[in-house]
Amino acid sequence: MKNKEFKVIKTIHATTHTWANTTIPIGTIVKQVSDTKNSINPMIGIVAQSDTIEGLHVIPYEFLTPLFDFKKTILLLHGFNSAPGNKEKIIKEWLSANNLASNFNLIAPQLNNAPYEAINQISEIIQENYGNIFVIGTSLGGFYATLVRSLNHSDGIKVHAINPSWSPGTTLSQEVNKPQENYKTGLEWQFSASSLNDLAEFENEAKSELKNYKGTHYTLHLANSDECLDFSELLAYLDENKVSNKTLYYDTNHRFEKVIEMLDNCKVDLTL
């Protein structure tokens, strides 16, 4: 790990922030150190030390701004039993056509089929590239993107969820112990009951925490004719809990063949 430095942008009060072990004033410079004790999910924040305050400190990203050079990053998350492919290609072409290719890293990982491992992958990518990250996820990847938004309220992370799953612990229950063959890679594998249980736990976490999001960087891109998912429960949750979001609709299906239109709608966000 390189010695990444951050500046504290909101005062941390040990009396009001239960995760803090001391008060850290706004403007404090901290240096990231290795989290040898797994003190915090890397999706959420870092462990840091300061020359002016003794000890190690767990700090969520929303309290920090980077003091190092970074590129904007697009993190593209694919759906269940899928892989990076056409959407990655379209995004690359769109960035090039809009003279933005040199401004961005595009990361489109092959996510592990096991949700727990997939979340670890996503968390590590966020920690390695934190600065200005656009998480774009489709279907189950859209759920993972929403989980990122639920757990991390930093403006340095912007979330665009395309046809997102909201209750994967229920909708994927029919896939348990069925032989699977990845639609794009041809890999044969099996979705286990333990993986479904992990999804259910992540789902509960998302539904518990998303209601606390009050920022301006959570956008839903929904197909008018999605044949796989129903978004009514998600939309009702967002409305009932007054979760800040922007919702856009497209004349397409679950495969979402309106990626260019979606990117055009995101252009202002991407160029901020």
Side-chain angles (χ1 to χ4, degrees):
M1 176 191 297
K2 294 180 181 179
N3 293 326
K4 293 182 177 179
E5 289 190 338
F6 297 81
K7 181 169 71 173
V8 176
I9 56 175
K10 294 190 292 186
T11 301
I12 299 168
H13 298 280
T15 54
T16 56
H17 299 116
T18 57
W19 42 266
N21 55 4
T22 190
T23 294
I24 303 178
I26 190 170
T28 302
I29 307 302
V30 298
K31 181 180 296 183
Q32 183 178 359
V33 299
S34 297
D35 186 7
T36 57
K37 296 182 179 180
N38 297 319
S39 304
I40 189 170
N41 183 332
M43 181 188 291
I44 300 173
I46 63 170
V47 172
Q49 62 184 10
S50 169
D51 292 338
T52 59
I53 300 174
E54 186 178 354
L56 297 180
H57 311 283
V58 172
I59 308 177
Y61 294 119
E62 64 182 293
F63 288 83
L64 301 168
T65 190
L67 295 179
F68 50 85
D69 291 333
F70 59 86
K71 266 192 172 184
K72 295 178 182 179
T73 297
I74 294 175
L75 174 54
L76 179 63
L77 306 176
H78 63 74
F80 179 77
N81 201 22
S82 188
N86 193 47
K87 289 183 177 62
E88 179 185 9
K89 179 175 179 288
I90 292 172
I91 292 174
K92 285 181 178 178
E93 292 174 347
W94 184 88
L95 289 172
S96 180
N98 285 272
N99 299 314
L100 294 172
S102 62
N103 299 343
F104 284 88
N105 290 321
L106 173 58
I107 302 175
Q110 175 63 60
L111 295 175
N112 197 296
N113 291 319
Y116 183 82
E117 296 302 328
I119 292 300
N120 284 343
Q121 286 178 264
I122 295 165
S123 299
E124 289 171 5
I125 292 169
I126 287 174
Q127 185 166 90
E128 182 63 26
N129 296 277
Y130 183 75
N132 195 355
I133 300 179
F134 299 84
V135 183
I136 301 176
T138 64
S139 195
L140 181 59
F143 168 75
Y144 290 152
T146 291
L147 180 64
V148 172
R149 184 75 294 159
S150 303
L151 299 179
N152 195 314
H153 298 175
S154 168
D155 287 343
I157 296 177
K158 302 170 177 65
V159 170
H160 293 267
I162 301 171
N163 290 344
S165 174
W166 177 237
S167 300
T170 299
T171 56
L172 290 176
S173 60
Q174 60 188 358
E175 302 297 334
V176 171
N177 295 329
K178 285 175 57 177
Q180 307 285 341
E181 181 176 340
N182 190 287
Y183 304 128
K184 294 180 179 176
T185 68
L187 177 70
E188 295 181 355
W189 63 288
Q190 189 163 293
F191 185 60
S192 68
S194 62
S195 287
L196 186 72
N197 289 337
D198 286 341
L199 274 180
E201 290 185 13
F202 288 134
E203 179 185 322
N204 289 336
E205 197 167 15
K207 292 177 179 179
S208 172
E209 299 298 329
L210 184 59
K211 61 188 176 185
N212 299 316
Y213 181 66
K214 304 303 178 187
T216 58
H217 296 294
Y218 178 46
T219 305
L220 303 178
H221 303 271
L222 306 182
N224 285 323
S225 303
D226 193 303
E227 70 281 12
C228 297
L229 294 174
D230 182 343
F231 307 116
S232 58
E233 288 188 10
L234 169 58
L235 295 173
Y237 172 96
L238 297 176
D239 182 61
E240 179 181 346
N241 292 285
K242 296 180 171 57
V243 178
S244 178
N245 74 94
K246 183 178 181 181
T247 302
L248 303 174
Y249 293 90
Y250 301 79
D251 290 327
T252 187
N253 54 21
H254 188 71
R255 291 176 62 86
F256 201 84
E257 297 166 342
K258 299 287 186 176
V259 177
I260 292 176
E261 183 180 342
M262 182 272 294
L263 291 168
D264 287 341
N265 287 335
C266 298
K267 188 172 182 179
V268 172
D269 202 17
L270 287 166
T271 53
L272 286 176

